[in-house]
Amino acid sequence: MSFLNVFFGPGGKPEINLANICSAGADPVFTGTQLANCQFLASDIKTCQAAGKIVTISLGGASGGGTFANNTQAASFADQIWDIFLGGTSSTRPFGAAVLDGVDLDIETGSQSFVPFVSRLRTHMNGASKKYYITAAPQCPYPDSALGTTLNSVSFDALYVQFYNNPCGLTHYNDGSYTWNFGVWDYWARNTSPNKNVKVYIGAPGGKSGASSGYVPLEALQTIVKDTARNFPSFGGIMLWDASQANMNGGLDKAIKATLNGGKTCGGTYTYQALPLLSTLLDLRSPMEGTNGTLGITHQELQWGVTTAMPGGLSSLAHLARATVDEQDDFLLPTKHRSSGRFKYLRQGDATNLWR
């Protein structure tokens, strides 16, 4: 449910805006606060949970959220979220006796660490009798500018990566630009994330007006889903923004669910070769030229070279690095040779022979 859009409102309580479902502007609020009383939703939430659906509250949004003065305030806010929405107790519970299943972080501005907040929530959740979830919705450019540090520092159960309103969006899938980068997030999930079992979801617009860019019609989305599920072990499913858009778009949500239910997953057998010298990977911020035997490849050629052998150039591991190569250093890249299709490690002296 989206969004908890104000962290610290009147009375020290957060505020929620569930659009036309429930908000402070249209529904009663708890005395001395702007926290909407949405307890009429409690039975609906319980019905969904009884059907096996996970119901969480999303914090932030495109223009929502807040900042913490210090780590103590971040931890205290986690305590408040636990009491108001999850397994704690409070006289100001917007959904009454309904206990949500977790929290989602859709933080799209700033760069503040949410590590103290997530860590305190995990402490509460780990001592609970039921399973709780912590998820996030980063933008597809890696690393995410708002949550990058947090994602690398604490455990998340799933990421709903926003492959829309971004240059790495769904419309660039298999278009020759090598900007569609689900593979980068898959690599992150299985090699960098504190939780190596984290699932990565494709975030897609539910309809043409669901985002400024990134919308693809159902048939194209089905192809992307099938290819991604087949090739990336961390793939978890599809996130649609938003439910109403998908419903009005011919029931796209039901159609893509049918595709997911009828597909097959990778099974976790694919293994990336390690990148042991990330500090010495090539600088991708501009095209590089070379003469007299020096390295002379374009930005796009290098991206092709380190694109893992997935259909449609699904991932470019080159995006994981922003460094330059010293002429005296060796560098290691998992590289697909054009003639053999095999992966091999390259030393500095081999670089000029890569694309022959």
Side-chain angles (χ1 to χ4, degrees), residues 91-123:
S91 60
T92 55
R93 288 182 64 90
F95 307 120
V99 178
L100 300 186
D101 298 300
V103 167
D104 175 66
L105 295 181
D106 182 10
I107 309 301
E108 302 188 18
T109 59
S111 58
Q112 185 175 46
S113 172
F114 275 72
V115 171
F117 171 79
V118 175
S119 297
R120 178 64 67 91
L121 269 185
R122 279 290 180 204
T123 299

Side-chain angles (χ1 to χ4, degrees), residues 28-356:
V29 298
F30 291 99
T31 302
T33 78
Q34 283 295 299
L35 177 59
N37 186 336
C38 310
Q39 293 185 4
F40 67 90
L41 289 173
S43 60
D44 293 338
I45 293 170
K46 292 179 180 180
T47 297
C48 289
Q49 291 172 324
K53 307 302 181 183
I54 296 170
V55 183
T56 64
I57 185 74
S58 186
L59 279 58
S63 59
T67 58
F68 305 120
N70 48 51
N71 290 350
T72 300
Q73 187 184 45
S76 177
F77 185 61
D79 294 337
Q80 188 178 61
I81 295 300
W82 175 258
D83 289 339
I84 292 177
F85 296 100
L86 305 175
T89 58
S90 172
S91 60
T92 55
R93 288 182 64 90
F95 307 120
V99 178
L100 300 186
D101 298 300
V103 167
D104 175 66
L105 295 181
D106 182 10
I107 309 301
E108 302 188 18
T109 59
S111 58
Q112 185 175 46
S113 172
F114 275 72
V115 171
F117 171 79
V118 175
S119 297
R120 178 64 67 91
L121 269 185
R122 279 290 180 204
T123 299
H124 287 298
M125 293 175 175
N126 290 341
S129 58
K130 67 170 283 184
K131 171 69 175 177
Y132 289 95
Y133 300 86
I134 299 178
T135 63
Q139 308 297 308
C140 60
Y142 181 92
D144 182 75
S145 61
L147 286 173
T149 299
T150 302
L151 295 176
N152 290 345
S153 302
V154 287
S155 177
F156 284 79
D157 297 292
L159 297 191
Y160 308 126
V161 182
Q162 298 184 40
F163 289 101
Y164 49 89
N165 297 337
N166 282 298
C168 40
L170 287 158
T171 51
H172 295 293
Y173 175 83
N174 202 16
D175 70 347
S177 69
Y178 307 103
T179 53
W180 159 257
N181 67 340
F182 187 95
V184 172
W185 288 100
D186 178 79
Y187 185 89
W188 169 86
R190 296 192 289 132
N191 294 273
T192 304
S193 169
N195 174 18
K196 300 301 186 292
N197 294 314
V198 62
K199 291 301 180 181
V200 181
Y201 287 65
I202 295 174
K208 291 182 178 179
S209 59
S212 298
S213 66
Y215 174 76
V216 295
L218 175 61
E219 185 176 351
L221 186 59
Q222 288 173 322
T223 296
I224 295 171
V225 165
K226 291 175 182 178
D227 284 350
T228 307
R230 182 169 56 247
N231 290 294
F232 293 102
S234 71
F235 175 73
I238 294 288
M239 175 274 284
L240 296 174
W241 179 258
D242 60 4
S244 59
Q245 290 278 340
N247 181 261
M248 292 185 294
N249 187 20
L252 182 141
D253 51 337
K254 294 180 180 179
I256 202 65
K257 181 179 179 179
T259 300
L260 288 166
N261 289 341
K264 297 181 180 180
T265 59
C266 171
T269 58
Y270 186 81
T271 303
Y272 287 109
Q273 297 196 42
L275 298 180
L277 296 180
L278 284 176
S279 63
T280 56
L281 281 174
L282 292 170
D283 190 342
L284 298 181
R285 288 171 293 189
S286 61
M288 293 163 287
E289 298 180 356
T291 57
N292 299 324
T294 61
L295 185 61
I297 56 178
T298 67
H299 184 173
Q300 191 173 82
E301 283 178 321
L302 180 60
Q303 288 191 345
W304 183 92
V306 298
T307 296
T308 57
M310 299 290 101
L314 289 175
S315 70
S316 176
L317 297 182
H319 287 298
L320 293 172
R322 292 292 186 270
T324 58
V325 175
D326 187 296
E327 289 185 359
Q328 303 304 315
D329 287 341
D330 295 335
F331 65 97
L332 304 180
L333 291 172
T335 305
K336 185 173 184 281
H337 194 281
R338 279 181 175 166
S339 59
S340 66
R342 295 191 298 268
F343 285 83
K344 66 176 182 178
Y345 285 120
L346 299 178
R347 298 178 67 84
Q348 176 72 18
D350 296 327
T352 55
N353 297 319
L354 174 56
W355 283 283
R356 290 183 178 176

